[in-house]
Amino acid sequence: MSSGDAARDLGEQRAALHRYVTRLVAPDLHQAEDIVQETLLRAWQHADQLDWAERPIRQWLFRIARNLVVDAWRKDRSVPIGIAADLFPERADRGDLAETVADRHLLVHGLRQLPARHREILVHVHLFGRGGDDTAAALGIPRGTVKSRTHHALRAMRVVLGEAA
Protein backbone atom coordinates (compact mmCIF):
# COMPACT_ATOMS: atom_id res chain seq x y z
CA MET A 1 0.00 0.00 0.00
CA SER A 2 1.30 3.44 -0.88
CA SER A 3 1.89 6.09 1.74
CA GLY A 4 -0.86 8.22 0.19
CA ASP A 5 -3.39 5.39 0.53
CA ALA A 6 -2.29 4.75 4.12
CA ALA A 7 -2.65 8.43 4.96
CA ARG A 8 -6.12 8.52 3.40
CA ASP A 9 -7.23 5.40 5.32
CA LEU A 10 -5.91 6.80 8.60
CA GLY A 11 -7.62 10.12 7.93
CA GLU A 12 -10.92 8.31 7.39
CA GLN A 13 -10.57 6.54 10.74
CA ARG A 14 -9.60 9.65 12.72
CA ALA A 15 -13.13 10.85 13.59
CA ALA A 16 -14.27 7.43 14.86
CA LEU A 17 -11.02 7.01 16.78
CA HIS A 18 -11.39 10.45 18.36
CA ARG A 19 -14.98 9.69 19.50
CA TYR A 20 -13.83 6.39 21.01
CA VAL A 21 -10.89 7.89 22.89
CA THR A 22 -12.93 10.89 24.08
CA ARG A 23 -15.39 8.52 25.76
CA LEU A 24 -12.51 6.74 27.47
CA VAL A 25 -10.75 9.81 28.87
CA ALA A 26 -13.67 12.24 29.27
CA PRO A 27 -13.64 15.09 30.17
CA ASP A 28 -9.96 15.61 29.29
CA LEU A 29 -10.14 16.57 25.62
CA HIS A 30 -6.45 17.47 25.45
CA GLN A 31 -5.47 13.98 26.56
CA ALA A 32 -7.91 12.50 24.03
CA GLU A 33 -6.27 14.47 21.22
CA ASP A 34 -2.79 13.44 22.39
CA ILE A 35 -3.78 9.76 22.41
CA VAL A 36 -5.38 9.99 18.96
CA GLN A 37 -2.26 11.64 17.56
CA GLU A 38 0.01 9.04 19.17
CA THR A 39 -2.17 6.21 17.83
CA LEU A 40 -2.12 7.61 14.29
CA LEU A 41 1.62 8.18 14.52
CA ARG A 42 2.22 4.56 15.52
CA ALA A 43 0.00 3.38 12.66
CA TRP A 44 1.97 5.55 10.25
CA GLN A 45 5.29 4.28 11.60
CA HIS A 46 4.15 0.64 11.22
CA ALA A 47 2.26 1.11 7.95
CA ASP A 48 4.52 -1.28 6.08
CA GLN A 49 3.92 -4.02 8.68
CA LEU A 50 0.11 -3.74 8.78
CA ASP A 51 -2.19 -5.80 6.56
CA TRP A 52 -4.39 -3.03 5.19
CA ALA A 53 -6.21 -5.20 2.65
CA GLU A 54 -7.19 -8.27 4.67
CA ARG A 55 -7.82 -6.83 8.12
CA PRO A 56 -9.70 -3.66 9.03
CA ILE A 57 -7.36 -1.06 10.45
CA ARG A 58 -10.02 0.36 12.81
CA GLN A 59 -9.79 -2.50 15.33
CA TRP A 60 -6.01 -2.20 15.42
CA LEU A 61 -6.25 1.57 15.98
CA PHE A 62 -8.83 1.15 18.75
CA ARG A 63 -6.66 -1.46 20.49
CA ILE A 64 -3.57 0.76 20.36
CA ALA A 65 -5.60 3.74 21.62
CA ARG A 66 -7.05 1.69 24.48
CA ASN A 67 -3.57 0.50 25.46
CA LEU A 68 -2.33 4.11 25.47
CA VAL A 69 -5.26 5.15 27.68
CA VAL A 70 -4.52 2.33 30.13
CA ASP A 71 -0.85 3.29 30.17
CA ALA A 72 -1.82 6.91 30.93
CA TRP A 73 -4.12 5.81 33.76
CA ARG A 74 -1.36 3.71 35.27
CA LYS A 75 1.16 6.53 34.99
CA ASP A 76 -1.14 9.13 36.51
CA ARG A 77 -2.45 6.91 39.28
CA SER A 78 -1.51 8.46 42.58
CA VAL A 79 -0.04 6.16 45.15
CA PRO A 80 -0.55 7.31 48.72
CA ILE A 81 2.60 7.37 50.76
CA GLY A 82 2.83 7.32 54.48
CA ILE A 83 4.48 10.00 56.53
CA ALA A 84 7.60 8.68 58.18
CA ALA A 85 8.73 10.16 61.47
CA ASP A 86 12.32 10.59 60.27
CA LEU A 87 11.16 13.11 57.63
CA PHE A 88 10.04 15.62 60.26
CA PRO A 89 12.42 18.32 61.39
CA GLU A 90 13.49 18.31 65.01
CA ARG A 91 10.49 18.91 67.22
CA ALA A 92 10.46 21.85 69.55
CA ASP A 93 10.09 20.88 73.19
CA ARG A 94 6.73 22.08 74.45
CA GLY A 95 5.97 22.51 78.09
CA ASP A 96 2.31 21.45 78.33
CA LEU A 97 1.52 17.98 77.00
CA ALA A 98 -2.25 18.61 77.10
CA GLU A 99 -1.84 21.67 74.90
CA THR A 100 0.29 19.65 72.46
CA VAL A 101 -2.37 16.93 72.23
CA ALA A 102 -5.13 19.51 71.68
CA ASP A 103 -3.11 21.30 68.99
CA ARG A 104 -2.33 18.03 67.24
CA HIS A 105 -5.99 17.00 67.34
CA LEU A 106 -7.04 20.34 65.85
CA LEU A 107 -4.34 20.10 63.16
CA VAL A 108 -5.29 16.54 62.17
CA HIS A 109 -8.97 17.51 62.07
CA GLY A 110 -8.15 20.47 59.83
CA LEU A 111 -5.96 18.42 57.48
CA ARG A 112 -8.69 15.80 57.08
CA GLN A 113 -11.10 18.48 55.88
CA LEU A 114 -8.79 19.62 53.08
CA PRO A 115 -8.59 18.17 49.57
CA ALA A 116 -5.71 15.70 49.10
CA ARG A 117 -3.51 18.07 47.05
CA HIS A 118 -3.81 20.83 49.71
CA ARG A 119 -3.08 18.38 52.50
CA GLU A 120 -0.07 17.04 50.59
CA ILE A 121 1.41 20.51 50.06
CA LEU A 122 0.99 21.52 53.70
CA VAL A 123 2.62 18.30 54.89
CA HIS A 124 5.65 18.78 52.63
CA VAL A 125 6.11 22.51 53.21
CA HIS A 126 5.14 22.96 56.86
CA LEU A 127 5.54 19.56 58.49
CA PHE A 128 8.56 18.27 56.55
CA GLY A 129 10.03 21.79 56.36
CA ARG A 130 10.88 21.50 52.67
CA GLY A 131 11.45 24.51 50.47
CA GLY A 132 9.60 25.21 47.25
CA ASP A 133 12.20 23.57 44.99
CA ASP A 134 12.44 20.44 47.15
CA THR A 135 8.65 20.12 47.36
CA ALA A 136 8.31 20.62 43.61
CA ALA A 137 10.89 17.89 42.98
CA ALA A 138 9.29 15.51 45.49
CA LEU A 139 5.80 15.94 44.04
CA GLY A 140 6.83 16.29 40.40
CA ILE A 141 5.11 19.63 39.91
CA PRO A 142 6.38 23.10 38.92
CA ARG A 143 7.62 25.45 41.65
CA GLY A 144 4.90 27.97 40.79
CA THR A 145 2.28 25.30 41.42
CA VAL A 146 3.81 24.67 44.85
CA LYS A 147 3.48 28.38 45.66
CA SER A 148 -0.13 28.67 44.53
CA ARG A 149 -1.21 25.40 46.15
CA THR A 150 0.44 26.41 49.42
CA HIS A 151 -1.36 29.75 49.34
CA HIS A 152 -4.75 28.15 48.63
CA ALA A 153 -4.15 25.34 51.11
CA LEU A 154 -3.34 27.80 53.91
CA ARG A 155 -6.46 29.82 53.11
CA ALA A 156 -8.56 26.66 53.18
CA MET A 157 -6.93 25.55 56.46
CA ARG A 158 -7.68 28.94 58.04
CA VAL A 159 -11.34 28.53 57.07
CA VAL A 160 -11.48 25.00 58.48
CA LEU A 161 -9.70 25.96 61.71
CA GLY A 162 -11.90 29.05 62.05
CA GLU A 163 -14.96 26.81 61.90
CA ALA A 164 -13.44 24.35 64.38
CA ALA A 165 -12.64 27.05 66.92
Side-chain angles (χ1 to χ4, degrees):
M1 170 174 273
S2 73
S3 62
D5 291 338
R8 183 178 32 76
D9 286 351
L10 289 175
E12 290 172 358
Q13 299 300 323
R14 188 184 188 294
L17 180 63
H18 195 276
R19 282 191 304 272
Y20 173 71
V21 172
T22 300
R23 284 193 312 267
L24 292 177
V25 299
D28 191 350
L29 297 178
H30 295 291
Q31 184 183 20
E33 186 60 36
D34 288 346
I35 289 174
V36 167
Q37 288 179 11
E38 179 65 24
T39 302
L40 293 174
L41 176 66
R42 288 184 184 191
W44 182 258
Q45 289 172 338
H46 296 95
D48 58 334
Q49 300 167 0
L50 297 173
D51 184 7
W52 296 78
E54 297 296 319
R55 297 183 63 181
I57 192 69
R58 182 178 284 190
Q59 285 83 5
W60 186 86
L61 290 171
F62 280 27
R63 172 63 63 161
I64 297 303
R66 183 189 166 281
N67 290 345
L68 289 170
V69 168
V70 169
D71 289 346
W73 283 339
R74 287 179 181 153
K75 186 183 94 178
D76 293 339
R77 184 175 49 190
S78 64
V79 179
I81 34 181
I83 300 173
D86 61 335
L87 295 175
F88 287 96
E90 293 298 319
R91 293 194 286 163
D93 190 24
R94 296 188 105 176
D96 187 10
L97 183 59
E99 185 178 318
T100 302
V101 170
D103 288 347
R104 183 172 295 162
H105 177 72
L106 189 62
L107 178 65
V108 168
H109 171 74
L111 286 172
R112 285 185 178 154
Q113 305 302 314
L114 297 178
R117 65 182 184 186
H118 287 168
R119 186 173 46 245
E120 182 179 51
I121 284 289
L122 290 179
V123 166
H124 280 275
V125 172
H126 292 287
L127 295 179
F128 291 167
R130 291 184 173 153
D133 291 332
D134 293 336
T135 300
L139 298 178
I141 57 176
R143 189 172 194 283
T145 303
V146 171
K147 286 181 177 183
S148 66
R149 280 192 192 167
T150 303
H151 171 77
H152 292 291
L154 286 172
R155 282 184 41 201
M157 184 63 119
R158 285 185 190 111
V159 169
V160 168
L161 292 179
E163 292 171 358

